[in-house]
Amino acid sequence: MHPRLASLFVAIAAQLCSFAAEAAPVRVRLVEGTFRGFLVLRSLDGKAIAYGEMSQKPAGNAIECRTILRFTDGSLYEESTTFSQRGVFRLEGYRLVQHGPSFPTTEVSFDRRSGQYKARTQAEKDGQYEVGSGKLDMPADLYNGMALLLLKNLPGGAGATVHLAVFTPKPRLLELEWSWEGAEEVLLGGSALKAMRSLVKMKIGGLTGVFASLIGKSPPDLRYWIVTGDVPAFVRFEGAMFLNGPVWRLEMTTVEWRK
């Protein structure tokens, strides 16, 4: 789902696996449809700092996805993605809004039909606002806001290399390299399930010097956990949700009943 990803550590499994990357764009293996799930975001010490949900629904010939997190300090994170799935997944439109004490303000939107983007960003929480707009070239493997969907659709053990657009406010393309680090055992009511852990590395290519000077360090690694099976399920993300941000942990949760 993002620019300034985002975006989303437990012990490494006994055996690590390395696999060749799949050529982009990513092929459709599991067709997406209607879905709604609830989320909790925690700091690494386990404190809940935000609650929200992710959902998706058909919109004509496309699918609309939305992730929203409302923070206990009043901050808001809202990401919307529209994609098509005719043979391969293709990002059609994207919007990200994040503001409040937990974030530098970011408002970004772009779509494939117009080929245009708009961006309003802060480099730091209390920094000056910068505004940009104009033409955005969207490669076929541009996948802002689609990490969970794509991970579920990679064949067993396969990696992938795709692109992410970030805005400062000028757009820049990062290369995301996905690989599987290994497997872990998780429990559901005492029953063991297998969860695969995916590592996502952000590569800057020829822009290394320019981009590193903008953010102060190399982009952080991200990790996702997917429970395997005929229908793979996302269970955890760990990483920074904006450049130079803290590492947070995003997990599925359920509703609570009032007493």
Side-chain angles (χ1 to χ4, degrees):
M1 295 183 180
H2 179 67
R4 293 180 178 265
L5 196 51
S7 8
L8 316 136
F9 301 83
V10 285
I12 294 178
Q15 242 182 342
L16 299 183
C17 304
S18 60
F19 304 94
E22 178 183 89
V26 175
R27 292 193 294 116
V28 177
R29 292 178 173 84
L30 298 172
V31 176
E32 296 293 319
T34 302
F35 168 81
R36 186 181 185 188
F38 301 100
L39 303 166
V40 59
L41 183 71
R42 302 181 188 275
S43 56
L44 291 185
D45 63 6
K47 180 181 178 181
I49 58 175
Y51 293 90
E53 61 183 88
M54 58 181 175
S55 61
Q56 65 179 36
K57 62 181 181 181
N61 295 322
I63 299 289
E64 291 181 353
C65 295
R66 183 177 183 230
T67 298
I68 184 167
L69 293 167
R70 295 181 175 89
F71 285 66
T72 55
D73 67 3
S75 299
L76 175 71
Y77 177 96
E78 185 173 358
E79 186 178 45
S80 300
T81 304
T82 302
F83 66 89
S84 57
Q85 50 181 347
R86 294 183 290 274
V88 297
F89 291 103
R90 190 173 89 150
L91 178 63
E92 304 294 346
Y94 181 81
R95 181 174 180 265
L96 174 69
V97 175
Q98 59 184 38
H99 59 72
S102 292
F103 295 104
T105 295
T106 299
E107 298 174 5
V108 169
S109 63
F110 59 84
D111 68 271
R112 193 176 294 276
R113 177 174 294 181
S114 71
Q116 300 290 310
Y117 80 92
K118 293 181 180 179
R120 179 173 177 260
T121 65
Q122 283 180 303
E124 299 177 349
K125 294 180 185 179
D126 299 320
Q128 183 178 355
Y129 290 101
E130 296 187 74
V131 177
S133 62
K135 181 177 175 56
L136 175 66
D137 292 325
M138 296 178 62
D141 64 348
L142 182 65
Y143 284 129
N144 285 59
M146 297 179 64
L148 298 183
L149 181 156
L150 300 180
L151 285 171
K152 292 190 300 180
N153 279 269
L154 293 177
T161 300
V162 301
H163 286 93
L164 173 80
V166 297
F167 298 82
T168 59
K170 179 181 177 181
R172 302 179 185 276
L173 289 181
L174 296 186
E175 190 175 83
L176 300 185
E177 186 178 87
W178 290 337
S179 61
W180 296 99
E181 286 188 311
E184 298 176 21
E185 186 177 270
V186 296
L187 299 176
L188 178 64
S191 299
L193 299 173
K194 180 181 177 182
M196 292 293 293
R197 185 179 62 256
S198 173
L199 172 66
V200 181
K201 285 186 170 290
M202 287 188 267
K203 295 182 149 186
I204 307 169
L207 294 175
T208 300
V210 174
F211 201 80
S213 68
L214 287 172
I215 66 174
K217 61 180 181 180
S218 298
D221 293 341
L222 309 174
R223 284 179 168 84
Y224 295 83
W225 283 259
I226 303 289
V227 171
T228 59
D230 291 341
V231 181
F234 161 73
V235 289
R236 174 179 283 182
F237 160 83
E238 209 166 86
M241 295 179 67
F242 60 94
L243 295 174
N244 272 344
V247 174
W248 290 329
R249 179 179 295 141
L250 183 69
E251 296 176 316
M252 303 299 295
T253 188
T254 187
V255 298
E256 299 177 2
W257 299 106
R258 292 188 183 275
K259 295 181 180 179

